[in-house]
Amino acid sequence: MADPIFSPDGKWMWTGSEWIPAPPSSSQSANVNLHDSVIGGDVNITQNNAVDIATAMVQALERMGFSGQSSPTELTASQEKEVEQVLEMSDVLSDQGIEIDPWTEIMLGNAASLGGKTNSAEQHYLRAFETFRKNDDRLGEGGALGNLGNIAFTRGEMHEAERLQQGSLALRREIGDREGEGLALINIGNIREITGSLAEAERYHREGLDIFKEINDLTNQSIAMGNLGFLAYVQGDLDGAEIYATEAYDITKGVGDQTGEIGVLGLLAMISKGKGDYYEAEKLIRGSLTLCQATGNMEGKMRGLNELGNILLRLNNLAEAERSFLESYTIAKTTGSRHMQATAGLNLGWVAKEQGDLSKSEQFYVEGIDLFKEIGDRGGESDALIGLGIVYNSKGNHDEERRLYTEAVKIKREFGLQIDQFFIDNGY
C-alpha cells in the first residue's frame, strides 16, 4: 500500500480526490518535523489551497539552493528525501489539473534530475516547455529545450539530444540570450565529442568560450576551457590539454569555484596519467579528494575515487584499486547515485575478471546493464554489454560473446555513439 501524501506542514492528507485533516499519528509527527526543517517559514497551508502548496514547494527548493535554472552541485541524503516529498506534492497538483508556474517546473525538473529521477525531470521540463510556448516566452522555451536535451544526453540518446540543443541554440540566438547561446554551444560540443566528431566538437567549444569571454562569465569560461582540455587529451595532445586545464584551474581558484576546481584537478590527473607520471596523477586526484571531503562534495568524491582506482591500476596496485572502486561503489549505492554505482561497478567487474573471478565479474556487469537501462543511459548500457562479452570470451562462450557485442554496437549505431575500431574491423 502506498504511503499517504501529506501537505508540507503535515496538517492535511490527500485522499486521492481531496485534502482532509491528517489524523494524529507518528506519521503526521514526522511530517511536522519535515515542515520545520524543510518547508518552514511563515507559509500557512489551508485545505485544498494550491497556491500555498506551490509557494511552500518553491521556498523549500530555494532553501536547498535551487533558483530559476541554477541548482546546487549535489544533495545531501536528507535533502534527497525533502526533494522526493516536494516532487510528490507537485504530482498531486498536476493530477488535479493545476498548472504550476513554468519556472517552478524548471526548478522541480532540476531537483528531480539532480536526484537521478530522469523520467520525472523530463515531465517537469516538458510541462514547462508547453507553458512557455503557450505564453510565447522564448527565453523560457529555449531553456526548457536545453534541459530536455540534457536529459536525452544523460540517457545516451545523442541524436535526440542534439535536435533539442540545436532548437535551444536557435531560440537563444533569436532573442540575443548570449549566456544561453554559449551553454547550448558547449552542450552540442559535448554531444559531438561523444559521437566522435572531434573537429566539430572543438569548433562548438571554441564558439562557446568566445561568448563567455565576451560577457566576462568566468565560471563558464573555465568549463569551456576544461572541455577543450579534455578534447585535446582524448586526441593525444597532452601538452595542449595541460595548457587549457591549467588556465581553467587558475580561473576556478580566482573566482572561488571549488566545484570547478575539483573537476579540473581530475582532468590534470588524467593528463599526468596520460604522460605516464602516475605518481603526479595520484597526488592531483588525492588533492581533488581532499577538497571533496572539505566541501562535502560526494559526487566529486565518487568520481575522484573512481579515477584514483584507474591510476592505481597503472601503478600495478590491483588491491588498492579495488578498494578505491569499492569505496566509490559503496558511496554511490548508499546515496542512491545509480549512475556512479553502475560506473564503479563496471570497474569492479574488470578487476574481478583480472583476478580470475568470472562469476563476480559477471554479476557486476549484469547489474551495470540493469542500472544503465533503469536510468536510460544507453551508452553505459552498451559499455556494460561489451564488458559482459569480454567475460564470456574468457569463459570460451564465443556465441554469447558475439551476441553481446552485436547488441552493444547496435545501441551505439542507433544513438549515434562512437564505435571502437575493433568492432568495425571485426564486422559488427
Side-chain angles (χ1 to χ4, degrees):
M1 183 175 179
D3 292 335
I5 296 175
F6 292 93
S7 64
D9 67 349
K11 296 177 181 177
W12 303 96
M13 184 172 71
W14 179 248
T15 67
S17 59
E18 65 175 341
W19 292 100
I20 62 172
S25 66
S26 59
S27 176
Q28 181 183 356
S29 174
N31 280 276
V32 171
N33 290 335
L34 181 68
H35 169 77
D36 292 339
S37 62
V38 184
I39 303 298
D42 298 322
V43 178
N44 293 313
I45 308 298
T46 58
Q47 188 172 9
N48 294 321
N49 190 328
V51 174
D52 284 349
I53 295 170
T55 300
M57 289 192 307
V58 170
Q59 290 184 356
L61 292 170
E62 287 177 342
R63 269 189 293 277
M64 286 184 271
F66 294 95
S67 176
Q69 284 276 37
S70 301
S71 302
T73 56
E74 63 178 345
L75 298 173
T76 65
S78 62
Q79 286 176 332
E80 286 184 358
K81 292 179 181 177
E82 294 164 9
V83 164
E84 285 182 9
Q85 190 144 46
V86 170
L87 292 173
E88 285 179 3
M89 298 304 300
S90 72
D91 288 341
V92 169
L93 295 181
S94 178
D95 291 343
Q96 287 183 284
I98 296 168
E99 185 176 288
I100 300 174
D101 176 82
W103 287 108
T104 301
E105 291 279 20
I106 293 291
M107 290 170 64
L108 289 163
N110 291 343
S113 180
L114 193 58
K117 303 177 186 299
T118 53
N119 291 336
S120 175
E122 182 180 36
Q123 291 307 307
H124 286 291
Y125 293 146
L126 279 170
R127 286 198 288 267
F129 173 75
E130 289 165 0
T131 304
F132 284 134
R133 186 167 56 179
K134 181 176 68 177
N135 296 339
D136 197 29
D137 183 338
R138 308 294 271 174
L139 177 65
E141 191 177 342
L145 275 176
N147 287 333
L148 287 166
N150 290 336
I151 292 294
F153 182 87
T154 299
R155 290 173 171 167
E157 299 171 356
M158 296 302 148
H159 294 309
E160 179 66 4
E162 173 146 4
R163 183 185 73 80
L164 291 162
Q165 293 293 356
Q166 290 285 2
S168 176
L169 177 62
L171 280 169
R172 292 171 190 268
R173 280 177 169 165
E174 178 186 324
I175 62 175
D177 174 13
R178 295 293 278 166
E179 180 185 5
E181 181 182 350
L183 291 172
L185 287 164
I186 293 298
N187 287 332
I188 295 169
N190 289 333
I191 293 165
R192 294 296 178 92
E193 185 178 307
I194 293 293
T195 57
S197 302
L198 301 185
E200 284 294 296
E202 183 175 357
R203 180 172 69 82
Y204 279 106
H205 286 317
R206 287 191 184 282
E207 284 187 48
L209 176 59
D210 289 343
I211 289 174
F212 294 135
K213 284 182 175 179
E214 173 194 322
I215 64 177
N216 197 32
D217 185 337
L218 291 174
T219 298
N220 279 317
Q221 273 187 53
S222 68
I223 291 172
M225 286 177 179
N227 287 341
L228 284 165
F230 182 76
L231 190 60
Y233 167 80
V234 299
Q235 294 181 95
D237 181 8
L238 300 181
D239 290 334
E242 189 169 22
I243 290 170
Y244 279 118
T246 301
E247 190 169 354
Y249 179 75
D250 290 342
I251 292 174
T252 61
K253 291 287 285 184
V255 300
D257 178 8
Q258 291 183 312
T259 300
E261 186 181 346
I262 289 167
V264 176
L265 280 171
L267 175 58
L268 286 166
M270 292 167 62
I271 293 166
S272 292
K273 183 178 69 175
K275 289 183 173 183
D277 192 346
Y278 303 128
Y279 291 106
E280 177 66 13
E282 182 180 1
K283 185 183 81 171
L284 287 164
I285 203 64
R286 288 194 186 278
S288 174
L289 285 167
T290 298
L291 193 55
C292 288
Q293 188 69 29
T295 59
N297 188 329
M298 297 304 288
E299 179 69 23
K301 184 176 182 179
M302 287 183 284
R303 293 183 183 280
L305 285 165
N306 204 56
E307 180 58 23
L308 177 60
N310 287 320
I311 293 166
L312 291 168
L313 285 178
R314 298 299 183 94
L315 291 168
N316 297 316
N317 195 336
L318 193 63
E320 281 294 316
E322 182 181 24
R323 276 193 283 273
S324 190
F325 291 139
L326 185 59
E327 187 177 354
S328 177
Y329 176 86
T330 302
I331 294 171
K333 198 168 184 178
T334 302
T335 60
S337 177
R338 292 171 294 172
H339 193 275
M340 275 309 302
Q341 180 183 341
T343 301
L346 294 195
N347 282 326
L348 285 167
W350 187 89
V351 169
K353 183 189 73 67
E354 290 297 293
Q355 294 171 333
D357 192 341
L358 298 182
S359 177
K360 184 178 178 181
S361 179
E362 182 175 358
Q363 288 174 9
F364 277 117
Y365 284 124
V366 169
E367 179 189 68
I369 292 168
D370 291 341
L371 284 169
F372 284 127
K373 277 184 178 178
E374 185 182 337
I375 62 179
D377 182 345
R378 303 309 301 279
E381 181 187 346
S382 65
D383 289 340
L385 285 164
I386 289 169
L388 187 57
I390 293 171
V391 171
Y392 276 102
N393 173 276
S394 298
K395 287 182 173 183
N397 188 341
H398 300 298
D399 288 341
E400 186 64 7
E401 173 196 6
R402 186 167 185 84
R403 184 190 71 79
L404 290 162
Y405 288 165
T406 300
E407 186 177 350
V409 172
K410 180 182 177 183
I411 290 172
K412 288 181 181 291
R413 291 190 192 281
E414 182 180 356
F415 292 96
L417 302 168
Q418 189 171 4
I419 300 171
D420 292 344
Q421 192 63 40
F422 166 84
F423 297 106
I424 296 172
D425 292 343
N426 285 277
Y428 285 97

